[in-house]
Amino acid sequence: MLLSNTRSLKLRYTCAFIAFGIIFYFLQGPIWPPDNGRSAGGLFASPTTRIPEKIWYKLGPKGLSDQSKEWIDTCLKKNPAYQREFLTDASADAWVRTKFAYRPDIVELYLALPIPILKADLLRYLLLFAEGGIWSDLDVSCGDTPIGEWIPETYRKNASLVVGWEFQTVDEKHVREFATWTIMAKPGLRHMSMVINDTVNALKSKAVQHNVTVANLKMDMIGDVVWLTGPMAMSKSIIKSLGVEKENINMGTTPYRFEPVLIEDVLILPGYSFSASLQQYKPGENPGPALVTHHFAGSWKNNNGGEVAGSGS
């Protein structure tokens, strides 16, 4: 009888311990990065060991202009091994429906967005999270350095996300931001998950602020696109994901550097890499080569926030 009671007591303790372990696990929430590719934001993608050799472009209703084709050809002809995909409004909508079917809130919001630049910003983050590769705006041309050499060999093993400073040589009163016209990423990154979730929440909040649905947002309601869904918004989310807000890496008070900087798995390229024309280097400073040039076509800078089918703009 005593042996039976002892075994029963051990069994109870074992069951209680297992139950406690299960409860503790679920209370902790998802842990990044588990093998199945789940991020803390409920997004899924298959992790890879390298950045996919694919360049993503998004066309407006007017299609590809001769000038944009000329700029794009500088990238495609110099990097013939890279795949390229040109998404239209319709194919981008279909892609989001398929890839993010497990996040109906994202699909619903994306399809409802009436302002092209807001959709374009969110789309680049979704593409880079789900499939990875290189996002490039239509008004970006490539320099002489092949894409395969953009990441210095020292960092190729560890760099999962590659961004470049848009404004690096700012004064002490200003804040730096990463350029969004060119971004490189492996799929499934928690950083892009953070960017996506912050962007979705910001758009929902903006609609609530004006007491409208997302589908009824207007350009005069959204304020500065740069801060809502664009470069500053993305930069803040990545810095938050890295947990380096207090290090002030994006503040003008922090001296700028001419070399790439790796923070965890995020490689930050100097301003001259993706945004040479916007830097104001001092005499005697010798920046490196421009990897890309942004030509600032500004197709989104109109009353519609971009090209709208049938609008003539």
Side-chain angles (χ1 to χ4, degrees):
M1 179 66 71
L2 180 60
L3 182 60
S4 176
N5 288 340
T6 301
R7 287 177 177 173
S8 177
L9 187 60
K10 288 182 177 179
L11 181 60
R12 290 176 184 175
Y13 278 130
T14 301
C15 291
F17 180 80
I18 293 172
F20 175 79
I22 293 173
I23 293 171
F24 179 79
Y25 175 81
F26 283 106
L27 284 175
Q28 290 299 301
I31 298 173
W32 180 266
D35 294 337
N36 65 1
R38 168 178 288 200
S39 80
L43 296 176
F44 299 81
S46 300
T48 60
T49 57
R50 59 186 299 176
I51 296 173
E53 294 182 348
K54 183 172 184 176
I55 308 174
W56 295 94
Y57 295 99
K58 169 62 178 61
L59 303 176
K62 295 181 180 179
L64 192 63
S65 70
D66 291 340
Q67 180 62 82
S68 290
K69 185 178 185 304
E70 183 179 325
W71 289 326
I72 290 169
D73 281 347
T74 64
C75 297
L76 302 185
K77 290 180 179 179
K78 293 172 184 175
N79 301 279
Y82 279 69
Q83 292 180 274
R84 70 292 307 265
E85 183 156 351
F86 293 86
L87 293 172
T88 63
D89 288 344
S91 62
D93 287 355
W95 183 91
V96 172
R97 284 194 191 97
T98 301
K99 289 291 183 178
F100 289 88
Y102 64 91
R103 280 289 300 270
D105 61 319
I106 289 177
V107 175
E108 180 181 1
L109 180 139
Y110 179 83
L111 296 178
L113 279 171
I115 301 174
I117 184 57
L118 302 184
K119 290 189 76 170
D121 282 340
L122 181 54
L123 178 64
R124 75 191 70 199
Y125 308 144
L126 296 174
L127 286 166
L128 292 174
F129 178 83
E131 297 198 34
I134 302 165
W135 169 274
S136 181
D137 280 0
L138 298 176
D139 56 353
V140 169
S141 61
C142 289
D144 294 329
T145 306
I147 294 175
E149 298 177 15
W150 285 5
I151 303 175
E153 188 172 356
T154 308
Y155 302 118
R156 287 176 193 168
K157 181 180 178 181
N158 297 317
S160 297
L161 174 63
V162 182
V163 291
W165 289 118
E166 179 173 352
F167 298 100
Q168 184 182 29
T169 56
V170 296
D171 58 35
E172 296 181 357
K173 298 179 181 179
H174 291 84
V175 180
R176 298 185 179 106
E177 64 190 31
F178 302 133
T180 57
W181 52 71
T182 303
I183 313 168
M184 306 174 70
K186 295 178 182 179
L189 299 182
R190 76 174 196 271
H191 313 301
M192 296 314 299
S193 171
M194 180 76 74
V195 174
I196 291 167
N197 286 311
D198 285 351
T199 301
V200 168
N201 290 334
L203 289 168
K204 289 179 178 178
S205 295
K206 186 63 68 172
V208 170
Q209 177 187 338
H210 292 280
N211 196 30
V212 298
T213 64
V214 168
N216 288 307
L217 282 172
K218 306 294 183 184
M219 280 294 286
D220 59 2
M221 298 178 182
I222 63 175
D224 192 340
V225 173
V226 170
W227 284 86
L228 181 63
T229 61
M232 194 62 75
M234 184 191 75
S235 303
K236 290 176 62 179
S237 294
I238 292 172
I239 290 171
K240 180 171 65 172
S241 178
L242 287 170
V244 294
E245 300 98 317
K246 294 182 180 179
E247 295 183 21
N248 294 327
I249 65 169
N250 60 328
M251 302 303 293
T253 52
T254 302
Y256 56 83
R257 299 175 59 173
F258 290 102
E259 306 82 24
V261 176
L262 184 71
I263 302 178
E264 289 189 15
D265 60 342
V266 177
L267 184 66
I268 304 173
L269 300 180
Y272 59 78
S273 297
F274 288 170
S275 187
S277 66
L278 295 180
Q279 311 312 315
Q280 297 180 1
Y281 294 114
K282 300 172 184 176
E285 294 181 333
N286 298 305
L291 302 179
V292 303
T293 298
H294 184 226
H295 297 277
F296 297 96
S299 62
W300 63 275
K301 295 181 179 180
N302 56 37
N303 293 334
N304 297 315
E307 293 180 13
V308 178
S311 70
S313 62

